[in-house]
């Protein structure tokens, strides 16, 4: 029989797990019917997998590997330190093999299709699937002479698009980040549900969103150092935009066209809008650089510059840049996502904010 | 020094690997840039994974587990027996843990999102992504009062649909199998690319395909034994069809409506068409049951019964049933997919065949 005393507990006789709040629930990012991984109110991720003959199993999340512990049945269980609210890529490591967690849905990020986990946030309602009118996400393949293939894009059309055939709509071109792809915004980004909810609440004008693959020149292989905007700019401005304007009911002019992106997609947005000052009227940089007033001197039809950052990135950059642009007479806005870093919840919130300002 | 003789080889001194044809290539079903898994001209699947501290690694495919062998760097490699042409679900087993292969793309089948492999076939051209006009696959969420949620469906609209706004189209409702979902047909089934290629070749009339989740009453939990068609039939005929007819430009009548499905989806097709003889005019059962003439006595507007099977299933069933229906004056067709079993290549070929006969 073991007698416990308060002194023993506070003296650290118990392992770190005893400090974990035991209110874990299955993650919303799990495969249907899967109990693990779980998340608790502290944002800890608890993973579990049956691996009776393994020597060790680790949960690899946020750049840290956490040891799982084996029970007598061969089931390994363990949890991470608290994670920021929002979405994180992760994997399991079983005896040195890095593999997806069979409990998680699969998401493209970190240059791979792999596991992801949703840590609940108090504003996750912005991307909840509700009983409101829903737009459609079209998977399209558009011809691309410059790359000699049919290229994929996802096109969000707002509720009513397929019914009210006389309406025409503005368009936002929205780019993913480095080592993500065209699935990232409509999957872990929930761009479609964010829009459905905003439109249902009367908070955003209905518009089309176009999401395509931005790493046209295989930048994944060469690294960002060798990044050349030309191949993607050609696909976007000479192939994709004309295809969208001829296949969807768009308002096909600068005043009704926006471009935004996250991280590398912000970098691309900045380069494309600076190279092509007559194509877009709304610019959005989510966690990726800023404009200065000199950059934008020739931008006659500019309606909005939106720059955002997680509070755990370097938020003063976007705040200062927006203030400087405002001083130069440019309609610039900065947005800081509280409690998040360089991750998708920052960018969902950024889209949610920017969408309310577009095409007004 | 080891001296090899033909006698030693034929006497089996060498392990089974020495009989493997060394013309492996990365599978088309791999993640971008991933070399493994590979497939050779015999249809063997070779898996490889780094797992330096593992006790064993197995490739689990087609109901058989094949041992991988470790090299001095910790890299495990091994291959399966020859597999049928087409698409197979598989997984890796690392020290008792069944996990997805990080080299493979992810597909929903076997009740999970996991690995799949494409074994090349001499007719894989039917679903190749070509430089032809492409239709769109719309992800939609339709309201469902009977299940009290917004339900997902994928809707293929043929090339030109978004442009030629005066055209109206017939509709095929196409169902997945047991432990698959609404992603299965547009992903490993390539329903959209099969149609794009047929339409480009003038071999099929342009029509819409609607693919939704068919396991409405959580049959995955209860098993097929407890299957009740009512919940799904309600969603399909009272909620989805009206939504499609009011949100897409359909020819909204029986003569321009077809239903087909694979395996459990064929079972559902048979039950729904028998319960609702005035909704569809074209019936397709892919690897899942047959109709007899008595079943169809009251079906006044029946244009086609299509029944198919892999040659490695029991193909005489569909052949005999079609002959009996023909003898009763019903336009019935059987199709047998050569060299395939109860797997997706049988069903891609079935769609490819049936699509050419629809709405003529």
């Amino acid at each position: 029989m073991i007698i416990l005393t308060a002194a023993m507990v506070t003296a650290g006789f118990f392992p770190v797990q005893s400090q974990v709040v035991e209110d874990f629930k299955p993650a919303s990012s799990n495969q249907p019917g899967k109990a693990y991984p779980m998340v608790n109110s502290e944002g800890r991720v608890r993973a579990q997998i049956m691996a009776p003959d393994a020597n060790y199993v680790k949960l690899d999340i946020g750049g840290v590997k956490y040891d799982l512990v084996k029970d007598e049945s061969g089931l390994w269980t363990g949890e991470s330190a608290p994670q920021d609210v929002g979405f994180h890529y992760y994997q399991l490591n079983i005896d040195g093999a890095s593999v997806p967690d069979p409990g998680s849905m699969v998401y493209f990020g970190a240059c791979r299709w792999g596991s992801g986990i949703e840590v609940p946030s108090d504003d996750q309602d912005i991307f909840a699937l509700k009983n409101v009118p829903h737009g459609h996400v079209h998977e399209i393949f558009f011809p691309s002479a410059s790359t000699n293939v049919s290229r994929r894009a996802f096109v969000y059309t707002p509720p009513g698009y397929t019914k009210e055939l006389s309406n025409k709509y503005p368009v936002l071109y929205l780019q993913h980040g480095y080592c993500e792809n065209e699935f990232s915004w409509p999957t872990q980004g929930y761009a479609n549900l964010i829009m459905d909810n905003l439109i249902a609440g009367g908070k955003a004008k209905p518009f089309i969103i176009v999401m395509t693959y931005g790493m046209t020149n295989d930048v994944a292989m060469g690294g960002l150092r060798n990044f050349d905007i030309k191949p993607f700019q050609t696909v976007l401005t000479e192939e994709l935009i004309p295809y969208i304007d001829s296949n969807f009911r768009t308002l096909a002019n600068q005043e009704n066209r926006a471009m935004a992106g996250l991280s590398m997609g912000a970098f691309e947005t900045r380069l494309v809008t600076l190279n092509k000052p007559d194509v877009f009227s709304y610019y959005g940089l989510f966690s990726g650089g800023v404009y200065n007033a000199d950059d934008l001197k020739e931008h006659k039809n500019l309606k909005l510059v939106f720059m955002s950052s997680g509070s755990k990135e370097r938020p003063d950059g976007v705040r200062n840049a927006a203030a400087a642009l405002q001083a130069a007479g440019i309609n610039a806005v900065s947005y800081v996502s509280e409690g998040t870093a360089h991750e998708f919840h920052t960018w969902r919130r950024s889209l949610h904010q920017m969408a309310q300002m577009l095409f007004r």
Side-chain angles (χ1 to χ4, degrees), chain A:
Chain A
M1 187 181 175
I2 299 168
I3 311 272
L4 305 180
T5 68
M8 286 170 73
V9 173
T10 53
F13 277 74
F14 290 88
V16 74
Q17 285 93 323
S18 67
Q19 301 162 17
V20 169
V21 177
E22 283 298 335
D23 59 357
F24 286 90
K25 295 196 179 79
S28 63
S29 45
N30 286 3
Q31 295 204 16
K34 293 292 172 85
Y36 284 88
M38 292 190 173
V39 189
N40 77 354
S41 57
E42 301 170 280
R44 289 185 202 268
V45 177
R46 175 171 281 171
Q48 182 175 89
I49 191 165
M50 180 63 76
D53 301 321
N55 299 306
Y56 60 85
V57 178
K58 294 169 190 285
L59 165 60
D60 179 358
I61 185 169
V64 179
K65 291 193 179 77
Y66 300 90
D67 287 319
L68 274 60
V69 176
K70 185 180 174 180
D71 75 5
E72 63 281 358
S73 74
L75 197 58
W76 295 76
T77 308
E79 54 275 320
S80 72
Q83 305 291 308
D84 290 342
V85 297
F87 184 83
H88 312 286
Y89 305 113
Y90 78 101
Q91 56 190 351
L92 298 180
N93 189 289
I94 303 174
D95 289 344
S98 287
V99 293
D101 181 344
S104 168
M105 289 288 284
V106 285
Y107 305 90
F108 195 81
C111 277
R112 63 172 185 249
W113 286 95
S115 304
I117 189 141
E118 187 71 39
V119 175
S121 50
D122 59 13
D123 62 343
Q124 61 192 7
D125 196 57
I126 65 173
F127 59 88
L129 176 62
K130 300 182 188 175
N131 277 328
V132 298
H134 293 286
H136 297 177
V137 177
H138 307 230
E139 181 191 40
I140 70 167
F141 290 94
F142 63 98
S144 166
S146 72
T147 60
N148 200 30
V149 290
S150 291
R151 304 187 69 83
R152 177 164 30 218
F154 291 103
V155 180
Y156 169 81
T157 55
Y161 178 91
T162 50
K163 230 169 163 163
E164 294 138 24
L165 298 184
S166 57
N167 284 5
K168 295 189 171 192
Y169 299 83
V171 186
L172 166 64
Y173 291 83
L174 183 61
Q175 290 305 126
H176 61 83
Y178 182 66
C179 281
E180 296 175 341
N181 68 12
E182 66 275 25
F183 288 84
S184 303
W185 267 115
T187 310
Q188 59 266 44
Y190 295 108
N192 51 328
L193 298 181
I194 290 170
M195 290 306 304
D196 290 345
N197 292 334
L198 281 174
I199 293 167
K203 292 182 180 164
K205 283 190 68 167
F207 57 83
I208 292 169
I209 304 181
V210 179
M211 301 156 276
T212 196
Y213 186 56
M215 297 167 77
T216 310
N217 55 340
D218 275 334
V219 66
M221 307 305 161
L224 277 175
R225 199 172 307 183
N226 303 317
F227 190 79
D228 174 8
I229 193 63
K230 287 282 164 54
F232 176 64
Q233 183 174 297
T234 300
V235 168
L236 177 66
T237 63
E238 296 176 29
E239 296 168 347
L240 181 56
I241 291 177
Y243 181 88
I244 294 296
D245 283 338
S246 80
N247 283 277
F248 290 84
R249 301 193 316 280
T250 63
L251 293 163
N253 55 42
Q254 182 177 12
E255 286 68 25
N256 288 289
R257 209 179 282 126
M259 183 172 180
L262 72 89
S263 191
M264 183 197 73
F267 184 66
E268 294 178 326
T269 297
R270 188 174 176 283
L271 291 174
V272 170
T273 53
L274 294 182
N275 290 340
K276 300 271 187 183
D278 52 353
V279 177
F280 305 95
S281 281
Y282 300 80
Y283 306 168
L285 309 183
F286 306 166
S287 298
V290 296
Y291 296 94
N292 62 52
D294 274 359
D295 290 337
L296 300 174
K297 271 190 304 214
E298 309 299 322
H299 291 237
K300 306 269 181 254
N301 296 306
L302 181 57
K303 306 281 189 194
L304 174 70
V305 172
F306 179 95
M307 296 172 293
S308 70
S309 166
S311 70
K312 296 189 172 185
E313 302 186 86
R314 278 167 295 180
D316 283 347
V318 298
R319 287 191 186 111
N320 295 341
L325 290 178
Q326 287 158 11
I330 293 167
N331 181 29
V333 173
S334 67
Y335 167 71
V336 176
S337 165
E338 278 310 315
T340 63
H342 199 72
E343 293 190 304
F344 236 105
H345 203 54
T346 302
W347 307 320
R348 296 163 175 163
R349 286 172 168 173
S350 297
L351 174 62
H352 181 257
Q353 292 294 320
M354 186 182 182
Q356 301 179 53
M357 303 172 194
L358 286 179
F359 312 119
R360 297 289 188 179

